[in-house]
Amino acid sequence: MIWRSIGAAAAVAACILTGAGSAGSEELVRIASPYKTTTLDPSRSAAAGNIETFGQLYARLLRRDQNGELAPGLAESWEISDDGKTVTLTLRDAKFSDGSPITAEDVVFSLLRVRDHPESAYPAPLQQLAEAKAKDEKTVVLTLEHPFAPFLGNLEVFNAGIVSKTDVEARGEEEAFASDPVTSGPYQVREWRPNDRLVLEASPNYWREGYPKNDGAELIEVGSENTRVAMMLSGEVDAAREIPWSQVSDLQTREGLEMPLEPSTVIYMTLLNEGRAPFDDVRVRQAAAHAIDVKAVAKAMTFGHAEPANTTLPGALDFHHSEYPGIAYDPAKAKALLEESDYDGEDIVILISDIADIDKLAVLLQAQWAAVGLKAKIEKVDRGVWWERIPNGDYDAAPSWWYNETMDPDLAARWALCGTCGNRSFYTNYDDPKVNELIEAAAAEFDPEKRTALYHEIQEITTTEVSQIPLYYPPFTNAYSARVEGLQMTPALQWTLEETEVVE
Amino acid sequence: MSRLSVIGQRLLHLIPVLIGISVISFLLVKLSPGDPIRMLLGDRATEEAVSMVRERYGLDRPLLEQYLVYIGNLLQGDLGRSIRYRLPVGELILDFLPRTLFLVLYVMCLSVPATVLLAIAAARNQGGWIDQSIRVLSVCGMTIPVFWLAVMLSRFFGVELGWFPVSGYGETFIEHLHHLFLPAVSTAVWLVPLLVRNLRAAILEQMEADYVTASRSKGLPEGYIFRRHIFLNSVLPTLHLLGVMVAFLIGSSVVVEIVYAVPGLGALMISSVIGRDYYVVQGLTLVYALGTVLVTLTVDVISTLVDPRVKL
């Protein structure tokens, strides 16, 4: 035993002396994130870690360029018919990672799979797609139920990535996506160690010449935020997601590290359960909203790094109503509203899960509500329970966050503000017929000015009626090392990995 | 009865233990609220997709039926599939097991020699300054929270000095030693004091024993008495404590595994509990139970080797 431990100690010492760590000739971009990859099948999940992975593995028909504008992806060009109902896309000569050509058949197969597969997690972006046909090898004709302005943008969403029909049919769905899927994007899977890391390597056949600008990437799952900070500081990773707010200022001053705080489509808000008393009464919701000093909350929660939220939609989205004044902090008005309402003085339940700093947020809400006479008790449960109770309507208020996977507000509005789109306005049971109509009208409107007006109206109505209480728009707290250049996260949660160069 | 047949019998006792544990863990996991499928499919997943997947995994069936299916598969050596990764649970656990075992062995290699040296030094200098300082350090080691110590060591030796990695497991044996050094030290710091106090007390007790006085009166050399009699007689209680601690470590490695991002059993357990990955949690519980029983058995066997008076 003694000899073994001396041997071990000697080995450790040898490592230290020789400068340890064997850097290979390959340069991988190493990223630490709390979010897990749980599947490699783009249709099967819409959870945060997976959508980051899908974006790297599967190319879409359109992509976002460096300015965030829609640009040709696998589709070289496209044409929209005069009635707005037919989109004809011409594919470029591109290949899957296994060298086989990407054809119109593959595109049709991939899109219909997302729309129709019974286990497709998020068919919403392709709901308006009526028909998809391969006209020839390189031409895809997509017919829509009705004219739909956000459609091209939705073709860029993570689950609209193109998969190989031949491979999925040959190996079967389970096997094809088990560990080494055929990919159409910049990367393919070298090694997947579930619950630990995903190692990507450059696809030899990616259509963008000269991309990716690195050999590959390692997406490492690190649950503890302190550990991510330590890994960043010790240079063990090149980028890290979700640095705690309290350490942002410290990291910004460190040499060799950068924290650009990129804008995100994330919004922190409080769900209010409008399916039961007291929040079924709009006056109680308004009272709850006027009672909260959103500016102070944003500052306290993010050390001044986030903008206070002024509408029910994320601040980075297109057509966000940035001039709207928001809900004023007015405790006197809140008290008056509460008095004339049906609120009977009973405790409401603030339901929170185990996301970062959420206890602090819940306590801030509780205190400000108590000040106007709205009594609340906080219940903390883990994520699994939270996601069981919210859809079941077993809560009164629930501070949390959500994001939108594309810049167009259509999907966001359908998810959070629409009573007839399948999930009852993010399970708040908010259902305003006028808003539901406006959401459809805005989606069918191609004129940007008119669309702007429609989305502004949606935001004004839902904010006044307090469908949710908007709190703040946090930027991403990602840290980057000077070892890499060109890496950032788009507002819709996609890494610009293919543009990333390892410079040291 | 021969030693082998006793060991065989002890292993047979495992069967009811494992069945009992499988029932309890199955019920605990299934009866705790929470929806694995919603977390798996993402916030915006449709109700239809969630219920489809739930059905596919048989999570909508009656509890008894689910348990019978589970036990049926278990008897054929099939631990089921991970709900999150769609991988066989056995495979997943075998991937993560070596890292935790490595860590536990590493902790042993650091702790056992340190314990023996410190305990002997303390006992032979009873009341002296060496004894006193070992005692003070022991109290410090036992009272420092592991979590805090692990974070501090990682910040100082990992980030500031850059001597050790602050995360991961490495690829080669040498890298494992290097990567797991801080996690192992963080654990040894609370383990060694426990063992030292135990061993020191036992040695002191034996030093007062009549047979020692008798040996001295016969003129046996002090060093011989210590090695041959006192030490061997003192070591048993500590050996048992060590056994309990090893079993405990396999389960409690989670703290250092989280702080140092070591992909071991503890890290797998935590994320599986949070993600309600039922079959992985159950599989891990069985592995922990098996581990505990095997460690205890090993300690018992070693005890009979150290002291022939001890019967299995």
Side-chain angles (χ1 to χ4, degrees):
Chain A
M1 229 29 158
I2 293 179
W3 286 113
R4 267 165 80 184
S5 68
I6 290 177
V12 169
C15 275
I16 301 165
L17 292 175
T18 53
S22 51
S25 55
E26 240 188 357
E27 295 293 0
L28 297 182
V29 181
R30 303 155 304 169
I31 301 178
S33 161
Y35 299 108
K36 294 178 181 307
T37 297
T38 57
T39 173
L40 302 175
D41 180 341
S43 74
R44 282 240 169 107
S45 174
N50 291 321
I51 75 172
E52 289 165 34
T53 300
F54 299 153
Q56 304 308 324
L57 294 180
Y58 307 101
R60 275 85 75 205
L61 292 170
L62 279 79
R63 54 183 278 267
R64 296 263 172 198
D65 66 14
Q66 273 165 317
N67 306 319
E69 301 295 328
L70 280 178
L74 287 177
E76 213 163 32
S77 61
W78 53 85
E79 234 170 78
I80 302 174
S81 65
D82 291 338
D83 64 358
K85 281 171 68 172
T86 309
V87 184
T88 309
L89 300 110
T90 309
L91 302 184
R92 69 177 74 243
D93 285 322
K95 283 179 185 162
F96 284 111
S97 53
D98 66 353
S100 59
I102 300 177
T103 67
E105 285 290 337
D106 295 307
V107 171
V108 170
F109 174 77
S110 306
L111 297 183
L112 292 185
R113 204 168 163 264
V114 171
R115 190 194 67 178
D116 298 336
H117 197 295
E119 289 181 23
S120 170
Y122 189 45
L126 297 174
Q127 274 312 280
Q128 288 76 14
L129 179 65
E131 228 184 343
K133 278 199 171 138
K135 195 171 149 202
D136 58 47
E137 187 92 323
K138 292 286 167 202
T139 316
V140 183
V141 183
L142 304 176
T143 320
L144 308 183
E145 303 273 2
H146 48 78
F148 187 61
F151 189 70
L152 286 178
N154 286 3
L155 288 179
E156 187 268 335
V157 170
F158 65 89
N159 64 355
I162 305 306
V163 300
S164 163
K165 183 185 181 190
T166 324
D167 183 60
V168 173
E169 285 180 348
R171 286 201 280 172
E173 279 182 323
E174 291 299 324
E175 193 51 39
F177 295 106
S179 58
D180 57 343
V182 171
T183 67
S184 53
Y187 297 95
Q188 60 190 11
V189 174
R190 172 182 295 169
E191 193 190 1
W192 182 31
R193 293 191 227 157
N195 211 45
D196 177 16
R197 67 191 61 204
L198 177 71
V199 187
L200 301 175
E201 62 189 6
S203 160
N205 296 310
Y206 184 46
W207 68 268
R208 284 183 83 196
E209 200 114 332
Y211 292 88
K213 291 182 175 173
N214 47 61
D215 300 319
E218 216 172 343
L219 307 179
I220 310 168
E221 290 156 18
V222 183
S224 148
E225 54 188 28
N226 278 316
T227 308
R228 291 196 297 278
V229 171
M231 289 167 82
M232 212 52 222
L233 292 176
S234 67
E236 278 169 45
V237 287
D238 306 312
R241 281 269 265 141
E242 298 202 356
I243 301 297
W245 292 109
S246 56
Q247 303 192 38
V248 168
S249 301
D250 174 38
L251 258 66
Q252 278 175 328
T253 60
R254 299 269 181 151
E255 210 167 306
L257 286 189
E258 255 181 85
M259 290 208 61
L261 301 179
E262 308 109 303
S264 78
T265 60
V266 176
I267 176 174
Y268 268 75
M269 46 84 229
T270 291
L271 299 174
L272 300 174
N273 183 0
E274 288 147 50
R276 69 183 194 195
F279 289 125
D280 57 342
D281 183 342
V282 66
R283 290 164 300 189
V284 184
R285 301 205 297 273
Q286 287 168 333
H290 282 298
I292 291 166
D293 185 348
V294 172
K295 281 193 188 108
V297 169
K299 192 161 181 214
M301 290 300 296
T302 68
F303 294 75
H305 292 295
E307 287 292 314
N310 64 331
T311 82
T312 46
L313 287 181
L317 291 187
D318 296 343
F319 312 114
H320 175 252
H321 197 341
S322 44
E323 295 89 50
Y324 189 71
I327 305 171
Y329 172 53
D330 191 344
K333 191 173 176 189
K335 266 184 205 161
L337 277 164
L338 210 55
E339 240 147 69
E340 67 176 66
S341 76
D342 302 332
Y343 175 59
D344 56 6
E346 274 210 34
D347 276 1
I348 59 162
V349 174
I350 303 181
L351 187 68
I352 54 173
S353 69
D354 40 13
I355 52 183
D357 295 337
I358 197 73
D359 304 77
K360 186 172 160 189
L361 183 55
V363 169
L364 285 174
L365 297 181
Q366 187 187 36
Q368 294 181 81
W369 283 341
V372 300
L374 185 60
K375 285 183 289 178
K377 58 173 193 252
I378 298 172
E379 262 186 63
K380 185 168 186 174
V381 295
D382 74 356
R383 232 177 101 72
V385 178
W386 198 86
W387 269 109
E388 195 169 64
R389 288 181 59 177
I390 297 290
N392 290 338
D394 186 9
Y395 73 102
D396 292 309
S400 186
W401 58 276
W402 56 276
Y403 57 84
N404 201 46
E405 52 284 279
T406 179
M407 301 305 284
D408 194 282
D410 178 59
L411 287 168
R414 285 174 197 276
W415 159 248
L417 308 173
C418 173
T420 50
C421 300
N423 58 347
R424 313 187 307 277
S425 307
F426 197 161
Y427 308 111
T428 57
N429 303 300
Y430 173 78
D431 186 7
D432 182 324
K434 178 87 201 287
V435 172
N436 299 342
E437 257 171 57
L438 283 170
I439 288 173
E440 294 301 337
E445 179 58 65
F446 282 77
D447 182 73
E449 254 170 57
K450 288 185 188 156
R451 272 197 97 191
T452 308
L454 288 168
Y455 280 117
H456 283 190
E457 198 183 344
I458 291 172
Q459 292 170 69
E460 280 165 25
I461 297 175
T462 54
T463 310
T464 319
E465 290 181 349
V466 196
S467 66
Q468 305 171 359
I469 305 178
L471 295 171
Y472 51 93
Y473 302 135
F476 290 122
T477 50
N478 297 340
Y480 301 95
S481 131
R483 185 173 167 267
V484 292
E485 251 172 35
L487 184 60
Q488 53 169 325
M489 183 161 257
T490 71
L493 285 96
Q494 291 294 330
W495 294 111
T496 58
L497 248 182
E498 55 182 294
E499 319 272 350
T500 306
E501 263 179 290
V502 179
V503 288
E504 267 166 43
Chain B
M1 237 187 310
S2 82
R3 185 178 283 152
L4 267 181
S5 72
V6 174
I7 293 178
Q9 223 169 33
R10 289 276 293 266
L11 287 175
L12 277 180
H13 287 168
L14 254 177
I15 295 169
V17 169
L18 290 182
I19 291 178
I21 283 177
S22 83
V23 177
I24 293 169
S25 74
F26 184 86
L27 287 179
L28 275 182
V29 168
K30 290 280 180 167
L31 293 180
S32 65
D35 181 358
I37 307 300
R38 168 67 61 181
M39 285 183 284
L40 184 63
L41 266 53
D43 303 357
R44 293 207 190 175
T46 58
E47 293 294 319
E48 293 81 33
V50 171
S51 56
M52 271 306 296
V53 177
R54 199 177 286 141
E55 212 173 287
R56 193 182 132 102
Y57 280 108
L59 298 176
D60 55 340
R61 308 265 176 77
L63 211 54
L64 184 66
E65 191 187 330
Q66 288 188 45
Y67 181 71
L68 291 180
V69 171
Y70 175 68
I71 279 293
N73 291 337
L74 197 60
L75 289 179
Q76 296 166 36
D78 179 4
L79 289 171
R81 266 172 189 266
S82 155
I83 292 175
R84 289 184 302 167
Y85 301 114
R86 302 189 178 213
L87 291 171
V89 169
E91 205 176 283
L92 202 59
I93 292 179
L94 283 183
D95 271 354
F96 283 74
L97 182 66
R99 296 136 190 190
T100 298
L101 286 186
F102 194 102
L103 179 61
V104 171
L105 277 178
Y106 202 174
V107 171
M108 289 302 115
C109 293
L110 294 177
S111 304
V112 171
T115 301
V116 172
L117 290 177
L118 288 175
I120 292 177
R124 294 199 113 172
N125 299 287
Q126 192 193 0
W129 66 268
I130 295 180
D131 188 26
Q132 297 294 358
S133 29
I134 289 176
R135 187 178 302 171
V136 171
L137 286 177
S138 297
V139 172
C140 290
M142 278 190 291
T143 46
I144 293 176
V146 182
F147 174 77
W148 182 85
L149 180 74
V151 171
M152 288 302 127
L153 289 180
S154 135
R155 283 298 163 97
F156 186 68
F157 291 103
V159 174
E160 296 307 324
L161 298 178
W163 289 359
F164 297 96
V166 298
S167 71
Y169 178 63
E171 300 295 335
T172 62
F173 183 75
I174 300 291
E175 272 178 31
H176 298 336
L177 288 175
H178 193 207
H179 276 263
L180 293 182
F181 184 74
L182 290 180
V185 167
S186 309
T187 312
V189 163
W190 65 262
L191 180 60
V192 171
L194 274 179
L195 298 176
V196 167
R197 285 173 72 98
N198 192 276
L199 186 56
R200 173 183 172 275
I203 294 176
L204 285 180
E205 200 190 311
Q206 295 296 332
M207 281 163 87
E208 308 285 308
D210 290 343
Y211 73 89
V212 176
T213 319
S215 310
R216 282 207 187 103
S217 61
K218 275 164 57 182
L220 286 176
E222 198 62 28
Y224 179 81
I225 299 176
F226 191 85
R227 278 196 311 276
R228 197 72 196 90
H229 296 291
I230 298 179
F231 187 69
L232 280 182
N233 276 314
S234 323
V235 94
L236 274 190
T238 309
L239 190 63
H240 281 129
L241 181 65
L242 183 68
V244 175
M245 283 301 147
V246 170
F248 179 70
L249 277 183
I250 298 175
S252 70
S253 61
V254 55
V255 176
V256 289
E257 282 180 16
I258 296 289
V259 172
Y260 291 99
V262 179
L265 286 187
L268 181 65
M269 184 65 156
I270 286 289
S271 90
S272 303
V273 169
I274 291 174
R276 296 289 189 281
D277 203 338
Y278 298 141
Y279 305 111
V280 180
V281 174
Q282 279 155 228
L284 283 171
T285 315
L286 291 180
V287 168
Y288 287 147
L290 199 64
T292 309
V293 173
L294 289 182
V295 169
T296 330
L297 185 59
T298 315
V299 168
D300 288 350
V301 172
I302 296 177
S303 299
T304 62
L305 298 179
V306 174
D307 187 342
R309 289 170 301 179
V310 176
K311 289 280 176 286
L312 261 177

